[in-house]
Amino acid sequence: MKYIIGTRGSKLALVQAKYVQKKMKEAYPEDEYELKIISTKGDQIQDRPLNQIGAKGLFVKEIEDQILNDQIQIGVHSMKDMPAYPEEGLCFTRAWKREDPRDVLILREAKSLSSLREHAVIGTGSKRRAFQLMAMRPDLQIVDIRGNVDTRLRKMQEQKLDGIVLAAAGLKRLGLEEVITQYLDDEEMIHAPAQGILAIEIKADHTELERKLDVLADPDTNEEAIAERGFLAEIGGDCHIPVGAACRKAEDGSFELHAMYGNEDGSRIAFSHQKGNNPKELAKCAAKEIRRKIAGNVALVGAGPGDPGLITRKGLEAIQKADCIIYDRLAAPELLAEADPECERIYVGKENHHHTMPQERINELLVEKAMQYEHVVRLKGGDVYVFGRGGEEGIFLKEHGVPFTVIPGITSAIAGPAYAGIPITHRGISNGFHVVTAHSRKDELSDLDFASMAKSKETKVFLMGLSVLKTLMDKLMEAKMPSDTPVAVISNATCCAQKTSIGTIADIADKAKKDGIVSPALIVVGDVVNLRDELDFFENGPLFGKHYLVPKIGTGESKLTRLLKKQGAVVDEVTVGEIVSKQLTFRKEELQSVDWMIFTSRNGVTSFFESLYSSGLDTRALGNVKIAAVGNATAKVLKDYGICADFIPLQHDGTSLAEAMKEKVCDTDRIWYLKAENARDHLSELLEQFCHIRAIDVYENMTVPFDTKIKQQTYRQYDALLFTCASSAERVLGGWKTDQLKELPECISIGPQCTKALKELGVKHIRQASDAGYENMMDLLLE
Ligand code: SAH
C-alpha cells in the first residue's frame, strides 16, 4: 500500500512527519510512505498575531481537508495544538510514546528562575505559561513573543529578553537540547494537555490504517493523553483560555493528574491535583474541582407567565446583575431590557416542538458560561420546575460542581386561569387542582389516569395540550366525565394578547379553533370555569383586544403606553428619536435681567436645568424670573426643580399661551423661550409681535433610525396610530404615497401642531385630543 503523510513545512513539523514516516516504514517495509508538504492558512498569515485571527484549526484545516478528500491518508500535527474533539469524519489514532512533555526556560544569562534579576523580562505567547510564571515570580514582566522555535530564540537575543519559555519536546526533536537552561516540572508549571505527543490523524473509517498505526502506540502515553485531553474536553473553552494538564503514571501503576484553568484575563485561576487508576475519571474529577473553585453562580429564574410585572423581586434583581442571560421563548421581552447593556443574552428558546437547542447543549452552555461569568441567569417562562426542565439543569450543574440557586416564578398554570377570571380552587366548588402535561417525553399523549380525573371534583389544568385538545376531551368523556363539564382554553395568558375560549368538554375543541386560540395555551377543566362571569377583571378592560402603535422619542416605556396597557390594549412602541440636551452656559447677571421664561415641554425644563447646573448656578439664579408653562406635565417637572409656575394657560397650546401673555407683559419685558432646536411652532412669531423675545434651543430631538420591520409592517393591523408630536408624525409617515396613506388606520393626534403635521403629510383620518396631554388622548380612545 502507498500512504501519503501530510505535514506543514516548518522545520519541527517536518521532523515530526519524518519520524512517523520512518517508524511506519520500519514496521511495514512492504508499504510505501510519502511526505507531502501542505501550506495552511496559519503559515500564510504572517503579519498579525494569531489570536487576532481567531479561526479555529488555523494550522490544520488544509491538511484535514486533504485527508477527507483522500488526497492524503495521514496528517501529523502536535497534539497540544489540537482541539478537544477531532473534526467530523476524522480521528486521532492511539498515542505513541511521548517526547519530554515539560516546559523549559531558556535564559539569556541567568542560570535559573530563582536567580533571575528582579523584574526580569520573559517572553511567551501563552497565557497558561504567563499566569504560572507570575504565580512563582510575581515581579516578572511578561512580553508576548510568537513564531517558531528559531524565531523565538533569535528574538530573545535581539530584544535582549532575559528569557523565554518553550516546550522541551520541540527543542529535543530539533536537536537543540543544549539551549535549555532549566526544566520546569509538573508542580511548578503544568504543561499544555498532551504536550510532547504527536497527533496522527486519519479518516475515522480507515480501520486498516488505524490498526497499523495503533500497533506502534504506547499504552502509558495513551492513558496520559486520555486524562489530559479528557480534562480539556471537560473544562471546555477555546484557545484563548489558559488550560494545562499533566498526567504521569506512578510506579504503583496509578496515575497522577495536575490540572489548571484560568479565565481569559487571569482574574480567576484554579488548580487541581488528582490521583487514581482511571484516567477518564481523573479528568472529570479535576474539572469538577476546578469548577467548584471558580465557577460563577447560575440562578434558575422563573420569569412568570408573560405579564412582565409578574416576576418576583428576587428574579428581577438577578436579571439586573446578570453577566449572561440564557433565556427561553418568553412572553415578556421587557424583562430582558432590565439587564445591563453589556450582559450577554443567549436565546435557546423552544418554538412549539422545534427545540432551538437540545437540552443537553443547554446544560453544557450553562456550565460554560458559569466558568466565564460571575452571575449567570437561566430565565424560564412561568416557574422553573413546572414542566420547565429546571430540575435537569440543576442536577447537571451540581454534577459539574457549578453552584446554582433557584428563584421560583409564578406559574402559568395558576396565574393563567386567574387572569381569565377563573380561581383554581374555590370553596364549595373545587378543593384542589391537578396540573398535568398533555405531552410525554416522546411527544405523545401522556399516560394520564383519565378515569380518576373524570371522577374527581378537583380542577384540572393541562399544559402543552393545545395540539391534542380534542383527544384529551374525548378521553375524559370516554372515562365518563359529564359532557357538560365546563372548560376554558386560555392563550397568551396574562399578556395583552390574552384570549379565552369557553365551552364544555364536548364542544371546546371546535370553539377554540373558531376563536383562533393559539399557542402557548392552557386548558382548565372543572366547575370553577363558571366563576369567570363574576371574576373576570382583565379581559373586560375597555381597550382590551385593541392594538396600537405608539411612536415615541427616547427610551423606556412611554407613559401613554402604560395608560393604554392599563386599559387592556396591546401596544407596539417604536422609538423614532432621542433627546439630546445642548450644553449652554448661563451667567447669573443675564438671568437676573430676564422677566419671563416660557417652557413648553418637560424636555425643555430638564435640558435647561442641566445647563443651569453645569454653569455653576442653581434655582436661586431665577429669583426674579416669572415662569410660564404649557401643559401640566411641564408644570409638574418644574415643581420637581422647586418652581411653581406663575402661569399655566388653560388651553395647552402655543396660541392660547401667546394670547394670554399679551395681557401679562409689557413691551420692555425680556422674555426667554426655552425650546427644541428645529421645533415646529409659531410661538416665537406670535410673541415677537408684542414683546422682546429670545428663543433659546436647549435641546434637540434627533432622529434615530428605527426598526424597518415596523416601518414596513402593514400598518393596517393597528386600530390606531398615536402621535404625541409633529416630529414623530413626520418621521413615521414622511415620504408615504397617497395610496399608501389610504390604507392607514385612524391617527390620534395630541394637539394642533401634530395635527397640522399629519395633514401636511396627507393623512385623512385624524382625531385630535381636546387638549394636549396623554389623558386627553386616552379620553378620545375611550369615548
Ligand atoms: N414553566 C412554565 C410551563 C412550561 S410548559 C410555567 O410554569 O408556566 C409550557 C406550557 O405552559 C405551554 O405549552 C402552555 O401550556 C403553558 N403556558 C406557559 N405560558 C403560558 C401563557 N402565557 N399562556 C398560556 N399558557 C402558557
Side-chain angles (χ1 to χ4, degrees), residues 305 381-383 386-387 411-412 463-464 490 492-493 520-522:
D383 177 69
V386 178
F387 309 124
T411 178
S412 64
L463 299 189
M464 295 180 271
I490 311 154
N492 282 309
L522 51 86

Side-chain angles (χ1 to χ4, degrees), residues 42-76:
D43 296 308
Q44 290 148 22
I45 300 173
Q46 301 284 353
D47 55 340
R48 278 167 287 167
L50 294 180
N51 60 353
Q52 280 178 16
I53 305 160
K56 142 175 159 221
L58 211 54
F59 286 106
V60 294
K61 180 155 190 314
E62 288 76 5
I63 300 179
E64 290 182 333
D65 286 349
Q66 294 210 7
I67 307 176
L68 286 167
N69 299 333
D70 297 315
Q71 289 163 276
I72 62 172
Q73 287 70 46
I74 303 172
V76 180

